[in-house]
Amino acid sequence: MSDTTLLSSWLSPEKGDEVLLFLHPNVSRRKFRKLCLAAASQLSNRSEKVIAFSFTSRVLAAAAFVGALAAGKIPALFPGKRTNLIRMRDCFDLIFTDHDSDIEKQLLWQTSSPSATDINEIKLSAENEFLLFTSGSTGKPKAVFKTLGQMDKEARITSQLFGNLCRDYAFASSTDFCHLYALTFSFWLPIALNNPIWGESIFVCDLLSKIHLPINFISSPTFIRNFDPSVIGHDVRFLLSAGGPLFSKDRQKGLYLCPYGIHEIYGSTETGIIASRRHSDSSIETPWQTVSGVRIEHTDTCSTLISPLLSEGTFELEDRLDMVSPNSFLLKGRKDKIVKIGEKRFSLIEIKKAVEAATGKEAQIFPVYKNNRLFIGAIIKNEIPVTGEDIKRWRSLLLNKVEPLVIPRLWRNVTEFPMTAQGKLDTACLLELFDE
């Protein structure tokens, strides 16, 4: 096993044992290496292979991740609440945690230092892999394996893309460590740049005022959308967002948070980073630019990704793209039956069932972008025009069937659904109804 990964280099004693890798709490390279070795030693004698994590400490979560890799295990990352672990308990062999819980198959973190008989060296290779889960195009969890080699490649691309902007500042994050986006940009990118990492997760905007130094802030549309401009005392020099589109009002909030501009990432768990864009004016919809080494082959029916970050072959994108140039595009919504609103995924099929039950009519449901915002649109098949009273009654009935976020805001009706020459639903024709 070759000791050539960015993680191995980052933890090397040759880089300076007393250099702080984490701030708040302050954790030196020496101390963090000891934490990683303690985790590796705890796990090395276990027979279980796939290890999930549940840590209240971001630093311990990082050490457990590295330690599991060093022990020859496969870390399995489940972002979000404890209920995700319960729901997915058949997908891992053991949960490693720093707090007692009622989840079966758990191993509590031990704070004691490793003994002489335990693992005393962190050896990693580009082939070491870990496991993530994404809902993908089905809304159901899908296993995705990533290797350290893939993460290192992405770190080189992102450090080339953002290095000059980020190099002088510590990294802080509002995102879950177990999410690939957080792992890529609040762990691997600072590793590649040799920047310190803020050890506390910034789940609410008030926590930003505790950081009395300039930072790179890895965040999300939800955090930015809920940011209170009256919060003072923070100094965000670089702001990155991913996980959903930033609309005009979100971008306005983001520019309060970071007046130097907002950077967005487009990609997925399967593909890694695909494109980025920067906003300096909240009113302008900036096109996405593909990152170095990434190409998109676009036709009227599909957009195919060619990327060095793919484990093999190509990848057909699930979004509809409007190509501005060979290397830039605008997003026009998803092609499949899953829509993402407020960082939650919803099934258009389930929304359609609920609308048809509430209206008693056949319906088609679409995600619709209007005025830089995403809405759910419903088209009802009805012989007579739909009235405002009809819509009010239907929306009231839907309150007990679906989340308020996905109750259709835009309603249209047709006497017949248009069909293509091939006998398929003419979705392009139906979508034009929302342009009116």
Side-chain angles (χ1 to χ4, degrees):
M1 183 178 291
S2 58
D3 192 23
T4 58
T5 65
L6 285 175
L7 269 177
S8 302
S9 174
W10 188 59
L11 292 172
S12 169
E14 297 173 2
K15 291 291 186 74
D17 263 359
E18 302 312 316
V19 171
L20 291 180
L21 300 187
F22 291 87
L23 308 174
H24 193 77
N26 289 350
V27 178
S28 68
R29 194 185 312 274
R30 183 198 305 275
K31 183 175 180 180
F32 186 70
R33 192 187 305 110
K34 284 184 177 181
L35 291 173
C36 296
L37 290 171
S41 296
Q42 260 194 278
L43 292 169
S44 62
N45 295 322
R46 304 283 307 203
S47 61
E48 296 90 352
K49 184 67 174 177
V50 181
I51 312 298
F53 303 101
S54 178
F55 282 86
T56 56
S57 163
R58 201 176 185 95
V59 175
L60 291 186
F65 175 77
V66 176
L69 290 167
K73 308 299 184 181
I74 299 176
L77 305 183
F78 299 88
K81 298 179 180 178
R82 187 178 65 91
T83 51
N84 284 348
L85 286 167
I86 296 173
R87 181 168 55 91
M88 301 288 288
R89 59 182 175 269
D90 292 335
C91 298
F92 58 88
D93 303 321
L94 182 72
I95 178 170
F96 196 22
T97 179
D98 62 349
H99 57 280
D100 198 7
S101 70
D102 56 357
I103 302 176
E104 297 177 2
K105 305 183 293 187
Q106 77 170 11
L107 174 67
L108 278 173
W109 173 279
Q110 299 294 324
T111 56
S112 59
S113 299
S115 67
T117 59
D118 291 326
I119 291 178
N120 55 23
E121 187 177 4
I122 296 172
K123 287 190 175 183
L124 305 171
S125 81
E127 289 73 39
N128 275 117
E129 60 184 6
F130 59 96
L131 181 61
L132 303 115
F133 290 86
T134 176
S135 53
S137 61
T138 65
K140 295 181 180 179
K142 172 187 172 184
V144 178
F145 284 91
K146 290 283 183 179
T147 66
L148 298 193
Q150 284 177 294
M151 297 301 292
D152 286 357
K153 280 183 184 178
E154 187 160 9
R156 292 184 186 101
I157 291 172
T158 55
S159 59
Q160 180 184 2
L161 185 63
F162 298 128
N164 289 337
L165 299 170
C166 299
R167 199 173 299 279
D168 296 330
Y169 315 116
F171 279 75
S173 178
S174 66
T175 55
D176 192 319
F177 177 83
C178 287
H179 194 287
L180 180 62
Y181 166 56
L183 202 62
T184 302
F185 291 98
S186 66
F187 191 58
W188 243 271
L189 181 56
I191 286 172
L193 297 175
N194 281 309
N195 287 33
I197 300 167
W198 192 256
E200 181 182 18
S201 295
I202 311 300
F203 291 125
V204 293
C205 56
D206 288 347
L207 293 175
L208 282 170
S209 59
K210 287 186 176 182
I211 308 177
H212 302 299
L213 71 163
I215 59 168
N216 304 303
F217 190 42
I218 311 304
S219 194
S220 67
T222 297
F223 186 97
I224 293 170
R225 192 170 296 133
N226 295 327
F227 175 69
D228 181 357
S230 67
V231 172
I232 59 174
H234 60 276
D235 186 3
V236 177
R237 300 295 180 92
F238 174 82
L239 175 62
L240 187 67
S241 177
L246 287 176
F247 300 112
S248 181
K249 288 184 178 179
D250 306 329
R251 297 194 292 265
Q252 190 173 13
K253 286 275 190 81
L255 289 170
Y256 277 115
L257 178 55
C258 178
Y260 303 98
I262 312 162
H263 294 263
E264 278 189 276
I265 287 299
Y266 172 62
S268 70
T269 304
E270 296 97 331
T271 66
I273 184 173
I274 296 172
S276 69
R277 62 179 179 177
R278 179 181 179 275
H279 302 288
S280 57
D281 185 331
S282 62
S283 64
I284 298 174
E285 180 75 3
T286 307
W288 297 92
Q289 302 288 329
T290 55
V291 300
S292 176
V294 169
R295 289 191 296 118
I296 296 174
E297 292 185 351
H298 181 73
T299 68
D300 291 340
T301 57
C302 69
S303 299
T304 302
L305 176 71
I306 301 166
S307 169
L309 301 178
L310 294 174
S311 55
E312 58 183 23
T314 59
F315 187 88
E316 186 173 334
L317 297 176
E318 297 166 346
D319 294 301
R320 293 182 290 117
L321 308 187
D322 179 7
M323 300 303 292
V324 178
S325 75
N327 298 316
S328 67
F329 57 88
L330 294 170
L331 290 174
K332 293 299 181 181
R334 291 177 70 90
K335 293 186 296 184
D336 57 31
K337 297 298 182 181
I338 299 294
V339 65
K340 195 171 187 180
I341 303 176
E343 297 176 68
K344 288 186 177 181
R345 292 183 189 267
F346 298 96
S347 166
L348 292 178
I349 294 173
E350 295 304 315
I351 300 170
K352 171 182 163 74
K353 289 178 182 177
V355 169
E356 289 182 336
T359 63
K361 311 289 182 182
E362 192 177 347
Q364 299 295 337
I365 305 298
F366 297 97
V368 181
Y369 287 92
K370 291 182 78 70
N371 300 320
N372 289 324
R373 293 190 63 192
L374 176 62
F375 299 96
I376 297 298
I379 300 177
I380 305 299
K381 183 178 175 181
N382 201 33
E383 292 294 333
I384 58 175
V386 170
T387 67
E389 286 300 315
D390 291 330
I391 294 171
K392 185 177 179 180
R393 183 175 72 257
W394 294 337
R395 285 177 58 85
S396 178
L397 290 170
L398 285 166
L399 281 172
N400 297 320
K401 297 179 181 294
V402 296
E403 291 195 36
L405 273 175
V406 295
I407 293 177
R409 295 283 300 275
L410 306 171
W411 296 79
R412 303 288 188 268
N413 79 277
V414 293
T415 54
E416 293 289 341
F417 290 126
M419 309 299 285
T420 66
Q422 291 76 34
K424 297 181 179 180
L425 187 70
D426 192 339
T427 55
C429 183
L430 289 174
L431 283 168
E432 287 178 0
L433 295 176
F434 296 109
D435 294 335
E436 298 173 358

